[in-house]
Amino acid sequence: MSETSQKEMTGEKMSVTSVSSANPTSAKAISESDIKALPSHDLIVVGGGPAGLAAAVAAFDAGITDVLILERDNELGGILNQCIHNGFGLHTFKEELTGPEYAERFEKLAEERDIPYQLNTMTLDIVPVDIAGTHAGCIVSAVSKTHGYQQFFAKAVILAMGCRERPRGALNIAGTRPAGVFSAGTAQRFVNLEGEMPGKKVFVLGSGDIGLIMARRMVLEGAEVLGVAEIMPFSGGLKRNIVQCLNDYDIPLFLSHTVVDIRGKERVEGITIAEVDDHMKPIPGTEKSFDVDTLLLSCGLLPENELSSKAGVQLSPATKGAVVDNTLQTSIPGVFACGNVLHVHDLVDYVSQEAKLAGECAAEYLEKGAGAAGASDTEGEARIVTVKPGNGVSYTVPSILHLNALAPTTIIRFRVRAVFKRAAIKVTLNGEELMSKKRPVMAPGEMEQVILAKEKIFSALENTNPQGSESVLEISIEQS
Amino acid sequence: MAKEIKELTCINCPLGCALEVTLEDGEVTAVSGNTCPRGEAYGKKEVTNPTRIVTSTVRVTGGTRPVVSGKTKEDIPKSAIFDITDALADAQVKAPVNIGDVLVENIAGTGVDFVATAHVSAA
């Protein structure tokens, strides 16, 4: 950090000329007095959606009252604000709420606690800083119209930035580049928040839940939806959405089909779909054309981790989110992650649960110092268990268990690679079976979880690897 | 006796059992294909009295947003969905709107109110 930027930061207004934070390597040079000159918070939560709100509330309730939420949109609640359909909160509130209603419950909890937040505020950078060779926290820089460029020092940070949709450019769809191709979530925002219809004759590519829900939404608003194509032989959406969004309105679902052509110069005039083979290659002769003016894309969600990777957080190639331990702490001490930025969820209830854990663990980290979490263990105590996705499992969260920070129960969430019927989830630790749970059906679109008791993990360790520090917990699917 | 078999997919869990519901003179006489009692209950209700919650939006004047989201306060008959969307197309409310406010009373004669599920402040 340069001398000039340092002076600017001590004043009330911070200047945008302070660009040094964009370069993490320069942060090493920061002195303790530089850091003390910054407005400081125990905890900064990046993102005010369901994950950020639940995390901030949980940290507050665990005794951390100096919390700041940074939100880039003009209101709290995140993506829930545009998810006006019902079905949220069955696990958390035992009733079916719409997205905005679910968000409001958590906004109220934050407001009751007077947790400060800044809206219209884009977080630009999170830079971990050392004081005298020891990790001290992060400098978080953000910009907004009201406050201009700001820098904060945060002892702990919770990443809750959510995810975004896979765009057309990432899908390799042949054809022209006319207007009328939208991601399903963009269309959802247009219809539900801005009151604008993106088109009148619609086709949907991808059968993720947002695609299914938007198919119904467009019909209810007077559009004609000619079909939904899904490249996989099964839908990525919930059964309930297939029935209530497609079957109710006689919208055909074309499984093992994809869009092979988009026509139109200024505006979409039509699309062509074709059946795909086992290698997802279109089969010639199976093409069907539809005259539509709009194509909606619901082809998967990607955790939004630009800030995390710039900060140096280690990311998982499987989830595209941070690699975390059982306290949801990332590879940077004091930086936690939860919600869709960690891995894409299908139920907001699980986001809230996960975020609560992140908030509580961040509070514990702040109260007990870095020792509360495994990442900064002294070498002798650092006993870890690596969580490995086994047969049929695509990823697990967490992927590391720090034994000294193990709660009475640990939830491991994961997704299966394919549809399994009458199969069992098997959990082993160094080869010894911890548990086996029968499941009538599992699908990649529905997140699975196992709950492991601390005593069970420790007794299995005692049997298999009493001294060693390298243990492996494996979750696999066994077809019976 | 008029016998009719209807095929459905159960939505209670990811299993998605393929149900066959047998109707005789409008009365359910058998449900098969289900693996649990919830499937039977769903099958019976879905062929005799299918209901849904309808969620949509209503135009707002003088607000910070042009539309406000809402839902039918209770389940409505599935057959009334498009009567409801027709009624909503003509509806308009004035800001401010709060969660729970009635946007359209007794919508499309269903006896159910259409209520707001979000806030819109006055501009």
Side-chain angles (χ1 to χ4, degrees):
Chain A
M1 189 142 303
S2 72
E3 287 246 343
T4 36
S5 66
Q6 194 197 113
K7 263 185 212 152
E8 281 154 5
M9 283 183 320
T10 53
E12 270 294 298
K13 279 187 184 170
M14 281 157 237
S15 160
V16 265
T17 55
S18 159
V19 292
S20 57
S21 67
N23 178 4
T25 52
S26 67
K28 297 281 178 207
I30 199 162
S31 71
E32 202 174 336
S33 58
D34 290 343
I35 293 170
K36 292 229 165 102
L38 294 175
S40 147
H41 294 284
D42 283 344
L43 175 64
I44 287 183
V45 179
V46 184
L53 288 169
V57 166
F60 188 96
D61 289 350
I64 305 302
T65 52
D66 182 14
V67 184
L68 174 67
I69 303 172
L70 301 177
E71 167 56 47
R72 73 177 167 192
D73 206 346
N74 57 12
E75 59 186 339
L76 294 172
I79 204 69
L80 287 175
N81 291 321
Q82 69 182 59
C83 299
I84 66 165
H85 52 281
N86 64 323
F88 297 89
L90 267 170
H91 295 259
T92 314
F93 300 111
K94 309 284 173 241
E95 58 180 310
E96 271 197 46
L97 302 172
T98 64
E101 290 172 311
Y102 187 96
E104 202 247 3
R105 301 265 171 122
F106 279 90
E107 284 164 41
K108 263 205 175 135
L109 295 177
E111 265 157 37
E112 280 163 16
R113 287 159 182 76
D114 262 331
I115 297 175
Y117 57 86
Q118 285 190 11
L119 300 176
N120 301 304
T121 301
M122 185 76 187
T123 303
L124 302 173
D125 240 328
I126 300 165
V127 180
V129 284
D130 293 354
I131 295 179
T134 311
H135 176 79
C138 291
I139 293 178
V140 178
S141 42
V143 69
S144 77
K145 267 192 185 172
T146 328
H147 300 282
Y149 179 75
Q150 310 172 87
Q151 281 191 314
F152 305 98
F153 174 72
K155 289 181 201 153
V157 173
I158 294 180
L159 306 172
M161 294 90 78
C163 62
R164 62 170 171 246
E165 299 171 281
R166 190 171 275 131
R168 177 181 179 180
L171 295 170
N172 284 326
I173 307 173
T176 53
R177 290 285 184 274
V181 182
F182 301 90
S183 71
T186 305
Q188 189 179 43
R189 188 175 176 102
F190 277 138
V191 178
N192 293 347
L193 293 181
E194 295 173 20
E196 303 286 349
M197 277 292 277
K200 289 179 181 145
K201 284 183 91 178
V202 183
F203 198 89
V204 183
L205 174 60
S207 66
D209 288 311
I210 315 167
L212 301 175
I213 280 160
M214 278 314 292
R216 172 177 65 185
R217 188 73 190 107
M218 296 297 283
V219 171
L220 291 182
E221 286 295 328
E224 194 185 342
V225 178
L226 280 78
V228 176
E230 167 60 56
I231 196 163
M232 301 299 285
F234 50 86
S235 163
L238 301 172
K239 206 86 203 173
R240 161 199 166 102
N241 285 334
I242 302 281
V243 171
Q244 298 199 344
C245 298
L246 299 188
N247 300 359
D248 273 6
Y249 302 93
D250 300 318
I251 300 170
L253 171 62
F254 300 93
L255 294 173
S256 299
H257 276 74
T258 192
V259 172
V260 292
D261 189 27
I262 297 174
R263 293 182 300 281
K265 196 168 175 234
E266 300 297 324
R267 176 79 196 191
V268 174
E269 287 165 13
I271 59 127
T272 304
I273 65 168
E275 200 177 334
V276 295
D277 63 18
D278 291 345
H279 305 288
M280 294 196 198
K281 287 231 168 84
I283 304 168
T286 62
E287 294 87 354
K288 291 182 197 70
S289 275
F290 295 89
D291 293 332
V292 291
D293 56 34
T294 302
L295 176 65
L296 300 187
L297 306 174
S298 176
C299 303
L301 300 167
L302 301 167
E304 196 164 341
N305 271 300
E306 282 75 10
L307 274 175
S308 328
S309 65
K310 236 165 92 182
V313 167
Q314 189 194 342
L315 298 181
S316 149
T319 59
K320 314 269 190 294
V323 171
V324 293
D325 70 359
N326 45 310
T327 69
L328 302 180
Q329 186 168 219
T330 68
S331 59
I332 300 177
V335 177
F336 298 79
C338 57
N340 282 348
V341 79
L342 177 58
H343 58 136
V344 176
H345 295 61
D346 28 66
L347 290 181
V348 71
D349 301 83
Y350 295 142
V351 168
S352 302
Q353 267 183 29
E354 189 176 271
K356 181 169 180 273
L357 178 66
E360 287 166 355
C361 291
E364 198 176 333
Y365 168 88
L366 286 163
E367 274 162 6
K368 292 192 183 163
S376 44
D377 269 345
T378 56
E379 262 176 55
E381 295 165 339
R383 288 198 68 189
I384 65 163
V385 173
T386 307
V387 185
K388 197 180 135 193
N391 177 51
V393 175
S394 55
Y395 73 80
T396 69
V397 171
S399 52
I400 305 159
L401 304 182
H402 278 109
L403 294 176
N404 66 328
L406 220 49
T409 55
T410 299
I411 298 179
I412 298 178
R413 298 200 163 93
F414 63 94
R415 281 186 194 274
V416 293
R417 284 188 188 281
V419 177
F420 289 94
K421 286 197 172 167
R422 279 172 280 284
I425 301 168
K426 202 173 138 190
V427 184
T428 59
L429 183 56
N430 298 328
E432 183 180 306
E433 186 172 308
L434 275 185
M435 67 176 285
S436 177
K437 185 166 91 169
K438 277 192 186 156
R439 301 280 284 122
V441 68
M442 288 178 281
E446 312 218 6
M447 193 186 285
E448 295 289 333
Q449 64 178 40
V450 289
I451 302 172
L452 302 174
K454 186 177 177 175
E455 304 91 72
K456 268 201 165 175
I457 295 174
F458 274 103
S459 77
L461 275 172
E462 201 53 46
N463 294 341
T464 57
N465 188 11
Q467 301 303 325
S469 57
E470 276 299 309
S471 289
V472 176
L473 188 135
E474 189 176 279
I475 299 181
S476 53
I477 307 302
E478 276 198 345
Q479 198 72 62
S480 52
Chain B
M1 233 190 271
K3 193 169 164 180
E4 197 187 348
I5 292 179
K6 288 203 171 170
E7 294 180 357
L8 303 171
T9 308
C10 180
I11 63 158
N12 280 298
C13 84
L15 200 54
C17 292
L19 306 180
E20 276 194 2
V21 186
T22 311
L23 282 162
E24 282 178 41
D25 290 331
E27 294 273 318
V28 176
T29 53
V31 178
S32 63
N34 56 306
T35 41
C36 78
R38 289 192 299 167
E40 190 181 333
Y42 173 80
K44 277 183 183 163
K45 180 154 199 294
E46 199 54 21
V47 298
T48 52
N49 177 30
T51 61
R52 300 286 185 268
I53 297 268
V54 176
T55 60
S56 189
T57 51
V58 171
R59 296 263 153 208
V60 177
T61 52
T64 49
R65 266 195 211 155
V67 288
V68 63
S69 59
K71 65 177 180 186
T72 53
K73 207 172 174 192
E74 284 146 44
D75 287 20
I76 53 91
K78 193 178 147 188
S79 57
I81 291 176
F82 284 105
D83 298 332
I84 287 172
T85 55
D86 286 348
L88 289 173
D90 304 325
Q92 204 170 59
V93 292
K94 263 194 193 138
V97 185
N98 288 308
I99 290 186
D101 286 0
V102 175
L103 300 173
V104 183
E105 231 174 276
N106 179 21
I107 191 158
T110 54
V112 174
D113 292 342
F114 195 82
V115 297
T117 54
H119 301 286
V120 175
S121 319

